[in-house]
Amino acid sequence: MLSLTRSVRYLIPFALGLATATASAATTPRQQWKTDIGQGYQQLASSAHVLEQTASHYCDSPSADTRQQLEAAWKTAFLDWQAVRFVDFGPIEQNSRAWQLQFWPDHKNLVARKVSYALKQDKPVDAAFVDQAGVALQGFPAIEYLLYDADMQQGERALPAADTCHLLDTISTHLAGTADALASDWQAFGDYYVSMDEYTEKTVAAAINGLEILQDKRLAAPMGVRPPHKRNKYLGDAWRSENSVAAMRASIAGFKQYMVPGLTQLLNDAGHPELADKLVEQTDSTLAKANDLPDAMAPFLKTDEGYRKLQSLFIDVIQLEQVVEDRIAPALGITRGFNSSDGD
């Protein structure tokens, strides 16, 4: 049975936040970004609560249908996070929230180790345990591990085992709380954000950073573009659920929805309509390329034909990043004194 308390806890702040965003007519680029990013965070909070409720429902009434609903709810919420993931300033910086939502890259397979440790406890873990366990146990990858990892598909700990379900429920509640706080804090942060000119540069820099991570870490690394030139699906995010391409597609769509409107307005205000048109054109081209690909990356890495399709997307992502960093940023007088690809 779905929790009425959980539903009410979510619906009230979401309704208030949505009303605030709708009532505030965006008249400047930062006001546009404030509204758009705020809506992205509200969408994430909404789907995170659906995930929380669906996890509880599945554990109360496990079946093939409720399992399918749970997997769909995880994917929806995860992709909503991917859409707004490029924002790397403001409330997302508090308490390592980006890492809480998605611990990645996970070169040491820490998610698997943390989940396994939690399931070996003498009694079911509680919220305090998850709070103290660290970011590897608190977000989407930990739930993905429970749902999709080969080691969790059979045996006494496979879902819907009681302790595993309890862990699933506890993690999903923590994740929903993180998304709630993020959406609420963005609303509180909004007026300050709009008032500070420096956030124009920070917002554009965040977009470039997100595109660089997409290019270098989420595509080039699993494709083996750079030494040692080995194709490796495990370097992509969401490889367990076979959603590596779906995640990248959502990030490009989020860039279009939450970044491009404010940036085109900024360019038009600055007298660069041709760059605004180029931004829209390249964004649409890149998204169309991603839309033509299935969700999983692994099959593309196995054949030369599939690899060429990934290369085509890779080239479009490079071109989009170059439009923003090499043409738009200089035209707006924005400089970046750091290599943003060094961090996620």
Side-chain angles (χ1 to χ4, degrees), residues 103 106 108-120 136-137 141-142 145 149 151-152 239-240:
F103 182 76
D106 183 13
K108 297 182 179 180
N109 205 18
L110 191 58
V111 168
R113 289 159 53 190
K114 287 285 189 177
V115 171
S116 297
Y117 177 75
L119 291 175
K120 291 177 182 177
L137 192 65
Y145 181 87
D149 193 83
D151 290 341
M152 296 301 301
W239 60 267
R240 285 186 173 95

Side-chain angles (χ1 to χ4, degrees), residues 46-340:
S46 172
S47 56
H49 277 278
V50 172
L51 172 59
E52 178 190 23
Q53 295 165 358
T54 307
S56 177
H57 182 48
Y58 166 75
C59 289
D60 287 344
S61 304
S63 68
D65 286 343
T66 55
R67 173 66 179 243
Q68 187 176 26
Q69 292 167 12
L70 173 58
E71 292 178 359
W74 178 87
K75 182 175 179 178
T76 297
F78 178 71
L79 297 185
D80 283 342
W81 159 241
Q82 300 307 310
V84 76
R85 175 178 169 180
F86 71 90
V87 182
D88 60 6
F89 58 87
I92 193 67
E93 297 180 282
Q94 299 175 20
N95 303 317
S96 301
R97 281 175 176 161
W99 288 98
Q100 286 190 56
L101 290 166
Q102 185 182 4
F103 182 76
W104 185 88
D106 183 13
H107 297 304
K108 297 182 179 180
N109 205 18
L110 191 58
V111 168
R113 289 159 53 190
K114 287 285 189 177
V115 171
S116 297
Y117 177 75
L119 291 175
K120 291 177 182 177
Q121 300 306 298
D122 293 335
K123 59 182 181 180
V125 302
D126 57 12
F129 182 97
V130 172
D131 289 345
Q132 297 169 10
V135 293
L137 192 65
Q138 295 172 347
F140 289 109
I143 297 177
E144 182 189 28
Y145 181 87
L146 293 174
L147 290 174
Y148 296 102
D149 193 83
D151 290 341
M152 296 301 301
Q153 301 311 303
Q154 57 187 354
E156 61 182 13
R157 289 178 178 154
L159 288 168
D163 287 356
T164 308
C165 254
H166 185 80
L167 180 61
L168 168 69
D169 201 24
T170 305
I171 295 172
S172 66
T173 297
H174 181 97
L175 192 153
T178 301
D180 257 350
L182 183 59
S184 177
D185 287 353
W186 180 264
Q187 293 298 324
F189 174 71
D191 288 344
Y192 178 76
Y193 170 77
V194 170
S195 71
M196 300 297 290
D197 290 344
E198 67 187 71
Y199 277 107
T200 296
E201 183 168 344
K202 284 189 176 183
T203 306
V204 175
I208 296 171
N209 188 30
L211 292 172
E212 286 181 343
I213 291 170
L214 177 59
Q215 171 189 321
D216 294 337
K217 295 186 177 181
R218 301 170 67 185
L219 265 171
M223 288 174 65
V225 171
R226 298 179 178 83
H229 300 296
K230 292 183 179 180
R231 304 177 190 182
N232 186 352
K233 72 171 186 177
Y234 301 112
L235 296 179
D237 46 359
W239 60 267
R240 285 186 173 95
S241 60
E242 300 185 340
N243 278 304
S244 296
V245 175
M248 293 187 288
R249 184 191 308 126
S251 291
I252 299 167
F255 176 85
K256 176 179 180 178
Q257 183 174 0
Y258 303 132
M259 182 67 203
V260 168
L263 187 52
T264 54
Q265 183 178 349
L266 182 64
L267 288 165
N268 285 320
D269 290 348
H272 298 290
E274 76 289 351
L275 288 179
D277 292 342
K278 180 61 179 177
L279 173 65
V280 172
E281 176 189 353
Q282 187 58 51
T283 301
D284 288 345
S285 171
T286 306
L287 183 57
K289 196 68 62 67
N291 283 336
D292 285 340
L293 302 178
D295 291 348
M297 179 183 289
F300 293 106
L301 299 176
K302 294 178 180 179
T303 67
D304 290 341
E305 180 182 359
Y307 191 81
R308 283 193 292 270
K309 292 180 179 179
L310 279 182
Q311 281 181 317
S312 182
L313 175 62
F314 181 61
I315 290 169
D316 264 55
V317 171
I318 290 175
Q319 291 173 338
L320 179 56
E321 189 275 331
Q322 289 176 340
V323 166
V324 182
E325 180 168 27
D326 297 342
R327 299 181 62 181
I328 290 175
L332 296 173
I334 294 174
T335 59
R336 298 166 65 232
F338 62 95
N339 181 358
S340 58

